[in-house]
Amino acid sequence: MSGFETIVGQNQALRALLRILKSGRIPHSLLFSGIDGVGKRSAAVRLAMARSCVCYAAQQRQPDRSSSDNPEAFSDYPCGQCNSCLRIAAGIHPDITTIQPEAGVIKIGEIRNLCRILSMKSFEGHGRVAIISDAHLMNPPASNALLKMLEEPPEQTLLILTARQSADLLPTIVSRCLHIRFNPVSRPALSDALIQHHGFGTDEASTVAALAGGSFSRALSMKKAAWMNWRNWLITELSRLGSSPIHVILALSEKLSKNRDALSDVFEIMLSWFRDILIFTCGSTHVINRDYLAHLEEASRRCSRSDLIQIVNAVKSAQAHIEARTNIRLSLDHLLLRLWQQLNMENPRSADHCEG
Ligand SMILES: [Zn+2]
């Protein structure tokens, strides 16, 4: 099975899961925490597979196999080929229940229904598994209902919660789960996986790995031509910000504010762009946007280092405001006008440049 690339770079978490499997003592409830796209759900599905895989039962009796400490071995533990594994992968195994937020929330009805299902005997004798994705989106009544179940878990059940961070869940829920952290994937691991398994070129993989913030799924979504075109458009807009009239700046703000889902990408691209120019002013070419070297060099001749530092800080500040759910349009207006002002001063390269 090709599980490795979806949980690439998670050695620590996978070793912990391997140890659990090898011990043969899988706890009633686990919490996988980490940012989106680092393999939490994929690992949860694989753990569910390992629990009921016929071949896994055979593997347990093979000392050589079970003594391996290679984290990649976790992906190979369930065979991925038997009837049970195939049905789990297809989401049609009768003993596996998955819950996902609907419209950004998990309500009590979902959790009550889950409690009812888990209280029933398993169809195939390996026990039941429930995976609650984005458990931090449970509302308070749902959280309390889940807590009750965790206090007295039904026999032979495995409950796996995934969440961005444990702090977003009730501490009483977290304390009843074995907590495994999934770290953001490192840039080199992400870049290698994109090149080896997903047909990225070296420069493209390096740019995408740097922009993806450690999230594998985010990196893959950037593979789409539409995303690259959109990113190129945004960079073009940023590079002519200082010479655009105010009504163009405000129109750009309006356009960006309409797509809330893309805002985190907007900020990552902005930060990468202005940081790259800053790096160029210091005479280095170790930049993220390697496909824009000539543009970066040209831009670095028109900006002073102190202006760029202020710009980067302004972008970070606007990002924080928007994450705190302030008015998106106002925050973007404020940011873009600030950048326009900063870039429009036609500063020549000033004395604060680093010596190459
Ligand atoms: Zn199997």
Side-chain angles (χ1 to χ4, degrees), residues 145-174:
L146 182 73
L147 180 59
K148 269 189 191 160
M149 181 168 64
L150 288 172
E151 284 167 346
E152 290 179 50
E155 285 290 304
Q156 271 210 311
T157 55
L158 168 61
L159 186 66
I160 307 170
L161 313 180
T162 73
R164 290 200 185 142
Q165 51 182 358
S166 60
D168 294 339
L169 291 164
L170 287 180
T172 39
I173 288 181
V174 178

Side-chain angles (χ1 to χ4, degrees), residues 53-55 78-82 85:
C53 175
V54 181
C55 304
C79 73
Q81 307 294 328
C82 71
C85 283

Side-chain angles (χ1 to χ4, degrees), residues 32-53:
F32 295 170
S33 69
I35 59 168
D36 290 344
V38 290
K40 304 187 299 290
R41 191 179 152 75
S42 169
V45 170
R46 245 157 223 111
L47 188 59
M49 281 181 176
R51 200 162 176 262
S52 55
C53 175

Side-chain angles (χ1 to χ4, degrees), residues 4-5 8-9 184-216 219-220 223 288 290:
F4 172 58
E5 70 264 28
V8 65
V185 183
S186 71
R187 279 191 202 179
L190 195 49
S191 181
D192 285 351
L194 295 175
I195 293 167
Q196 286 175 25
H197 302 290
H198 296 279
F200 279 67
T202 311
D203 279 356
E204 188 190 14
S206 163
T207 303
V208 166
L211 289 173
S215 166
F216 192 70
L220 284 186
K223 169 80 175 160
I288 291 171
R290 297 195 58 76

